[in-house]
Amino acid sequence: MPMAEESETCRELIEETDLLKERIRELEASEVERRRAEECLADEAARWRILMEQSRDGIVILDQDGQVYESNRKFADMLGYPLESMGQLNVIDWEFLYPPGQVMEMARSVDEKGDHFETRHRRRDGSIYDVEISANAAWFDGQKLIFCVCRDITERKILLELLSRLNQKNDLRELLKQVTELMRGWSGCDAVGIRLQEGHDFPYFETQGFPPEFLLKENSLCAVDIHGELVRDTHGSPVLECMCGNVICGRFDPDLPFFTEKGSFWTNSTSDLLASSTEADRQARTRNRCNGEGYQSVALIPLRHGDHNLGLLQFNDHRPNRFNDAKIVLFENLAANLAIGLVQRRTAEALSKSEQKYRTLVDQSVSEIYLHDLEGTILEVNQASVNSTGYSKDELLRMNIFDLHPDQLYCDEILSQWRTWPVGKPLTFETHHKSKSGRIFPVEIKASKVRMDQNEYILAFVDDITERKRVEKEFINQKIHFESLFTNTNDAIVFADVEYKIININEQFTRLFGYRLDEIKGRNINEVFDPHGMAEGNYASQRILSGEKIEMEAVRHRKNGDAIDVLIKGAPVLIEG
């Protein structure tokens, strides 16, 4: 080869080598990025799970029939039930104020816009307490779920919050359908099936080629007695029958020719196997239905990941001698890889579904939710935070929590308190927030310190209490007005409780009857002022307590015994709850 051509060839080889190295670096970088994405997904799912479990409010998720779909421990504690038993309850088990029919209608009518109302709940012990409920509906896996955030308002009757869910396609069945089709075509067997765990049993999840009658009879592996009850072993677990049960449970003897070192079973002639072995050899009583259906070649391969039994692969053929050692090894390798794939898929799907579900629930909460570090840097917010402040999510995630406070005089003091604040200790306080438009509004903040990934954060639920403050101010004004009327009116006024015991009187009452409050407080009003005609007075009091307003002329007695004619006007009133 001429020197020029040889030099050109070397140059081309060097360029190809450089390109190959660059491609390898790209692939390595892609793998690192994939792993980083998986870690972020796991962190996100853990974060939203903490939002659920660390909530200081009771959270219950209902289906559209009112059945409990999920509950946090706080709500179970509010009702007095163990968390483990919450799934057995329906909303009508604790709803006290609304009748069952109306409760079901409320559940059906609630939508993504949500609802907010007050009601009363019945605890397990029968006691009743007031709650305020924020409810939203969301769609998750094609099913309507109602996310309810419940706050005990026996002392304080204002509460806002709620969460909901999402819908995601599950590709597992389609995946295994394709797998069974491929295995049937590749193995050349008449029938192929996959059993997967479902509770204590391992029914067929996907099959190709088995007749319906066979699947109906062989679907369950659980042994039953003559009464149809499950047979259980010494540990209380159902006994799995037949050779499939042996393979799944790991009951095998590798010294026998029909078992492998990895626990697979195979035979090229079920007829010869039954004739040449005992039930003791076969490790358990066998149903022999495969042989009864005419299948001679049968292979059962465990789907196992570590110590966890996922199920098995089954290969059946009516012809004998369809398998050999090499083919069984290939089956086992296929099963091992499929098991890894199933675990990874289930983990990824569960992680994705959990992250999406709790992201949906949190984003649909009517309470603002903030997660920030101990320096105040905002790390996560929900949609309510965006709606309330007017900032976009991206803007909020570039802000400090103190940017929302119009008065930043005490920032350093608050930061110091956060560092020494115990994990899990709740704190409720009122302050003001400032929106992007400059609007300043009162808020109630319920916060606690949480620990994630060895780091500490502040988790805060924030509610706009503008309306509550307006109502409180109106109540105070009304109270002042009422007290002014009570003090300055020319009429004699007396208040009595439901047992007719005197609570309070005004000065005009003292002038008219001669009694001071300390002389008659707690005494029966009719006994004091009408000792000889209590029946009439008691009847009038009963009418008032029943909600009736009365006006009547009567004779009453002063402290000195003098009888006077009076015009009595009575009405029921509610004083300070």
Side-chain angles (χ1 to χ4, degrees):
M1 175 181 296
M3 288 292 294
E5 292 183 6
E6 185 175 317
S7 176
E8 179 65 21
T9 299
C10 288
R11 185 184 64 80
E12 290 177 353
L13 286 174
I14 291 172
E15 290 178 352
E16 290 294 331
T17 301
D18 290 341
L19 289 174
L20 182 58
K21 289 180 179 179
E22 179 63 26
R23 180 55 180 161
I24 290 173
R25 285 193 293 270
E26 291 176 356
L27 290 174
E28 289 175 345
S30 176
E31 176 64 17
V32 170
E33 185 63 28
R34 183 187 67 81
R35 291 178 180 174
R36 185 179 296 114
E38 290 179 349
E39 292 173 357
C40 290
L41 188 61
D43 290 344
E44 184 76 1
R47 181 179 298 166
W48 296 119
R49 164 55 68 179
I50 287 175
L51 290 178
M52 177 83 163
E53 294 303 322
Q54 294 280 352
S55 172
R56 294 181 57 237
D57 291 310
I59 299 178
V60 60
I61 306 172
L62 308 173
D63 65 19
Q64 61 185 359
D65 297 319
Q67 194 69 26
V68 173
Y69 180 86
E70 188 170 352
S71 165
N72 71 347
R73 186 171 298 280
K74 175 64 177 178
F75 186 70
D77 292 342
M78 288 169 66
L79 291 178
Y81 286 92
L83 180 61
E84 296 76 16
S85 67
M86 290 300 295
Q88 303 171 18
L89 298 181
N90 189 284
V91 62
I92 62 176
D93 294 323
W94 65 76
E95 175 57 42
F96 177 78
L97 186 60
Y98 296 102
Q102 187 173 353
V103 173
M104 292 298 101
E105 179 59 31
M106 292 167 68
R108 287 189 290 269
S109 63
V110 69
D111 56 19
E112 292 86 350
K113 296 179 181 178
D115 198 3
H116 185 77
F117 58 94
E118 293 180 8
T119 184
R120 308 190 78 195
H121 283 176
R122 182 192 301 108
R123 296 188 181 92
R124 186 183 186 185
D125 61 9
S127 59
I128 307 299
Y129 65 101
D130 295 299
V131 291
E132 185 178 58
I133 297 177
S134 296
N136 283 80
W139 294 94
F140 181 70
D141 280 348
Q143 178 189 10
K144 179 182 178 181
L145 292 184
I146 303 166
F147 185 87
C148 301
V149 181
C150 306
R151 183 177 298 175
D152 187 335
I153 55 168
T154 303
E155 297 182 1
R156 304 187 67 180
K157 291 192 171 183
I158 301 260
L159 164 68
L160 296 171
E161 68 183 306
L162 123 52
L163 309 157
S164 212
R165 68 151 208 180
L166 80 125
N167 187 359
Q168 180 185 8
K169 181 181 178 182
N170 187 351
D171 293 326
L172 180 60
R173 187 167 294 279
E174 180 61 29
L175 168 68
L176 295 186
K177 180 180 179 181
Q178 296 174 5
V179 169
T180 52
E181 289 175 347
L182 289 172
M183 289 192 301
R184 187 184 182 194
W186 172 72
S187 67
C189 290
D190 295 329
V192 173
I194 298 177
R195 290 184 181 271
L196 291 181
Q197 184 173 13
E198 184 177 306
H200 292 295
D201 206 351
F202 288 80
Y204 286 110
F205 186 88
E206 188 63 45
T207 63
Q208 295 284 330
F210 287 107
E213 298 82 5
F214 176 88
L215 295 176
L216 182 63
K217 295 176 181 179
E218 281 293 289
N219 194 51
S220 176
L221 296 179
C222 291
V224 296
D225 59 23
I226 58 175
H227 302 293
E229 300 293 330
L230 290 179
V231 177
R232 299 182 180 274
D233 60 22
T234 55
H235 301 291
S237 301
V239 173
L240 302 183
E241 285 190 319
C242 207
M243 197 59 71
C244 286
N246 288 340
V247 171
I248 291 173
C249 295
R251 299 189 300 255
F252 67 96
D253 182 353
D255 293 331
L256 295 172
F258 41 84
F259 286 118
T260 71
E261 292 287 342
K262 295 184 178 180
S264 299
F265 163 86
W266 67 287
T267 178
N268 279 319
S269 175
T270 56
S271 297
D272 290 346
L273 175 68
L274 293 174
S276 61
S277 63
T278 65
E279 285 192 350
D281 293 332
R282 299 192 294 272
Q283 308 300 307
R285 184 181 70 85
T286 52
R287 299 168 177 172
N288 305 327
R289 194 161 284 126
C290 286
N291 179 259
E293 290 290 335
Y295 294 116
Q296 288 298 313
S297 297
V298 175
L300 306 174
I301 316 298
L303 284 170
R304 187 174 292 115
H305 185 264
D307 296 330
H308 182 51
N309 297 317
L310 305 178
L312 60 75
L313 301 181
Q314 181 170 350
F315 300 84
N316 281 28
D317 200 279
H318 292 92
R319 296 163 293 181
N321 302 318
R322 297 294 298 164
F323 308 129
N324 55 38
D325 290 335
K327 203 166 194 177
I328 297 303
V329 170
L330 289 175
F331 285 166
E332 290 180 333
N333 290 337
L334 173 63
N337 285 281
L338 180 59
I340 294 173
L342 285 175
V343 170
Q344 291 178 339
R345 177 175 289 269
R346 284 182 170 180
T347 301
E349 289 179 353
L351 199 60
S352 176
K353 185 175 291 187
S354 176
E355 186 276 333
Q356 291 179 37
K357 178 173 70 172
Y358 289 105
R359 164 61 70 178
T360 300
L361 296 176
V362 169
D363 273 348
Q364 294 196 19
S365 169
V366 294
S367 293
E368 302 169 51
I369 299 177
Y370 297 89
L371 184 70
H372 60 81
D373 63 19
L374 300 188
E375 299 299 322
T377 303
I378 298 175
L379 303 175
E380 194 59 72
V381 298
N382 68 342
Q383 187 60 39
S385 305
V386 173
N387 297 339
S388 179
T389 63
Y391 292 101
S392 68
K393 181 176 181 178
D394 288 340
E395 287 175 323
L396 286 170
L397 295 181
R398 292 194 296 269
M399 295 168 60
N400 191 285
I401 196 67
F402 293 111
D403 295 333
L404 300 176
H405 291 259
D407 186 355
Q408 301 189 13
L409 295 177
Y410 304 102
C411 292
D412 292 339
E413 180 180 346
I414 294 174
L415 286 171
S416 177
Q417 291 176 353
W418 282 347
R419 296 186 184 98
T420 58
W421 189 9
V423 172
K425 182 180 180 180
L427 178 65
T428 301
F429 61 95
E430 295 180 6
T431 184
H432 287 79
H433 272 184
K434 184 177 181 180
S435 69
K436 186 177 182 179
S437 66
R439 181 177 75 94
I440 297 176
F441 54 97
V443 294
E444 180 186 74
I445 299 178
K446 305 181 79 171
S448 62
K449 181 187 283 187
V450 298
R451 183 177 286 114
M452 295 186 296
D453 301 328
Q454 307 303 315
N455 295 314
E456 294 180 344
Y457 305 92
I458 303 298
L459 174 64
F461 293 79
V462 180
D463 291 315
D464 185 337
I465 56 174
T466 302
E467 178 62 17
R468 186 177 80 188
K469 289 296 183 182
R470 184 193 67 78
V471 171
E472 289 176 352
K473 183 177 180 181
E474 183 178 311
F475 173 77
I476 292 172
N477 291 336
Q478 289 178 350
K479 184 177 180 181
I480 293 173
H481 178 66
F482 179 80
E483 290 175 349
S484 176
L485 290 176
F486 180 76
T487 302
N488 300 317
T489 182
N490 292 323
D491 294 325
I493 299 177
V494 58
F495 288 109
D497 63 19
V498 294
E499 296 178 348
Y500 316 151
K501 293 179 180 179
I502 295 172
I503 299 174
N504 199 6
I505 61 175
N506 66 353
E507 291 184 5
Q508 291 296 331
F509 197 93
T510 299
R511 294 191 187 100
L512 180 61
F513 289 99
Y515 289 103
R516 299 189 312 274
L517 177 62
D518 62 326
E519 294 178 302
I520 59 175
K521 186 173 182 180
R523 294 178 58 187
N524 187 295
I525 185 173
N526 300 311
E527 178 184 323
V528 173
F529 301 107
D530 190 20
H532 305 297
M534 286 186 61
E536 177 198 38
N538 288 338
Y539 176 66
S541 298
Q542 291 172 2
R543 291 171 58 193
I544 295 172
L545 286 179
S546 67
E548 185 178 348
K549 295 181 180 180
I550 68 168
E551 183 172 334
M552 57 181 280
E553 294 182 356
V555 176
R556 293 293 183 264
H557 294 81
R558 290 191 173 102
K559 180 179 179 180
N560 62 11
D562 291 345
I564 58 173
D565 295 317
V566 294
L567 175 64
I568 299 176
K569 295 181 180 180
V573 294
L574 183 66
I575 303 176
E576 295 183 355

